[in-house]
Amino acid sequence: MNPLVSIVILNCNYPEMITNCLNTLAQTEGVEYETVVVDNGSEPATVEVLKQLQAQGKITTLVLEPTNRFFSGGNNIGVKHTNPASTYILLLNNDVAFLRPDWLTKMIAWMEGVPEYKPTIWGFHPTEPSPGPRDIVSIGWSYDENLPSRARPEGWCVLIRRSFWVDLSTDFAFHYGWEEAAAKMIRNGAKAGVLFNYAPYLVHREGGSRWTTTGRINDKRQPDVKRWFAGLATESLDFTLGKLEHETYISWSYLIPLINVMSIGSLLC
């Protein structure tokens, strides 16, 4: 059977990080998927750990690159090693760990249409999401004052309909390669959404995968932000909780009234 989702993960050293990612990813249920890991020139000890994880069935395809191809180049290589018959491509950082087996089922539900239960939306975003289906759904978002929704998709855990995939520009080693590619996909007709209340489903170590043994690597040059990002995110969504589920996070929509009350109280004192 062909995999439904092709998950591409990059790695450069940090064997404990990729091990944690793959061990928690293995609990995923309800979705058929393959896991393609591209190693960006790790030390031999890390490569050995990856080979052991592949032997345990936690890596479908292991690609060992002799040098670091960074985020853009590495993801392009990974996608080329995926099953061309899969419906979705999911780019995933190695510093992500999963808490629930239904995280990918929920993400695909947002991709294919709005679930029955209405999401909780932050105060400065649209009160209701537009109906699906969508073609890009990211977990996490970046604030961008140039966009009507003030949010644009992140690339550390993003689901993309394969038919809209375009290679990331290797002129930009990290974030800007993804952002340029996402803008191209949207201009080609892809609809995008952003999921941000993800705490019950997964954790992200925030940038751990951007460091190498020699330190942080910067992109070659800055992009023209207004030209690339215009219209990049059209809506902001949420993992919708079912009748028997409970929120394990505090949303800004609940904090804003409290902050206002505290501010008024401070003025009266």
Side-chain angles (χ1 to χ4, degrees):
M1 295 179 65
N2 294 325
L4 175 63
V5 182
S6 295
I7 301 176
V8 177
I9 308 173
L10 306 186
N11 187 72
C12 183
N13 296 311
Y14 298 100
E16 74 290 343
M17 188 181 294
I18 186 65
T19 298
N20 189 44
C21 176
L22 291 172
N23 282 343
T24 58
L25 177 63
Q27 70 173 321
T28 303
E29 295 178 351
V31 178
E32 188 179 359
Y33 67 93
E34 65 173 346
T35 305
V36 177
V37 174
V38 178
D39 184 77
N40 275 326
S42 290
E43 306 268 341
T46 301
V47 173
E48 184 58 33
V49 169
L50 291 173
K51 290 179 178 178
Q52 292 174 8
L53 290 166
Q54 184 180 31
Q56 295 168 13
K58 293 170 182 174
I59 299 175
T60 309
T61 302
L62 177 60
V63 183
L64 300 176
E65 287 294 310
T67 58
N68 196 335
R69 306 296 183 181
F70 306 118
F71 186 84
S72 295
N75 276 307
N76 292 341
I77 292 168
V79 171
K80 286 181 173 60
H81 283 82
T82 60
N83 188 329
S86 64
T87 306
Y88 309 106
I89 295 166
L90 189 140
L91 305 185
L92 178 67
N93 279 20
N94 65 348
D95 57 350
V96 176
F98 299 95
L99 305 175
R100 292 176 43 156
D102 61 341
W103 70 275
L104 189 51
T105 302
K106 296 262 186 175
M107 202 169 180
I108 290 175
W110 273 120
M111 175 74 89
E112 297 303 342
V114 178
E116 175 185 355
Y117 301 104
K118 190 173 178 179
T120 301
I121 301 296
W122 287 19
F124 54 81
H125 289 291
T127 55
E128 291 191 31
S130 62
R134 301 166 185 88
D135 308 294
I136 301 171
V137 172
S138 77
I139 295 185
W141 60 285
S142 295
Y143 181 85
D144 193 329
E145 63 182 7
N146 298 305
L147 304 179
S149 67
R150 300 294 187 265
R152 54 184 166 83
E154 284 277 8
W156 57 267
C157 184
V158 57
L159 188 66
I160 305 156
R161 198 175 300 278
R162 177 181 279 275
S163 58
F164 281 97
W165 170 262
V166 298
D167 281 349
L168 282 59
S169 172
T170 54
D171 284 341
F172 308 104
F174 289 102
H175 288 304
Y176 297 139
W178 154 250
E179 289 158 358
E180 181 193 35
K184 286 181 178 178
M185 288 184 245
I186 290 170
R187 291 192 178 95
N188 289 338
K191 294 181 179 179
V194 178
L195 299 163
F196 48 81
N197 284 332
Y198 53 83
Y201 298 88
L202 55 90
V203 292
H204 181 214
R205 286 178 62 172
E206 298 294 346
S209 58
R210 292 198 65 204
W211 289 81
T212 69
T213 54
T214 57
R216 187 179 289 265
I217 303 297
N218 294 319
D219 289 338
K220 295 180 181 178
R221 54 189 171 91
Q222 294 283 0
D224 179 342
V225 174
K226 290 186 179 180
R227 177 172 62 86
W228 279 354
F229 297 161
L232 189 54
T234 57
E235 58 187 322
S236 298
L237 309 175
D238 187 352
F239 274 120
T240 299
L241 301 177
K243 294 178 181 178
L244 301 179
E245 297 177 294
H246 302 281
E247 296 182 5
T248 59
Y249 54 83
I250 300 178
S251 171
W252 279 107
S253 60
Y254 303 138
L255 286 179
I256 289 173
L258 177 61
I259 292 171
N260 291 338
V261 169
M262 293 173 64
S263 300
I264 294 172
S266 64
L267 292 174
L268 296 176
C269 294

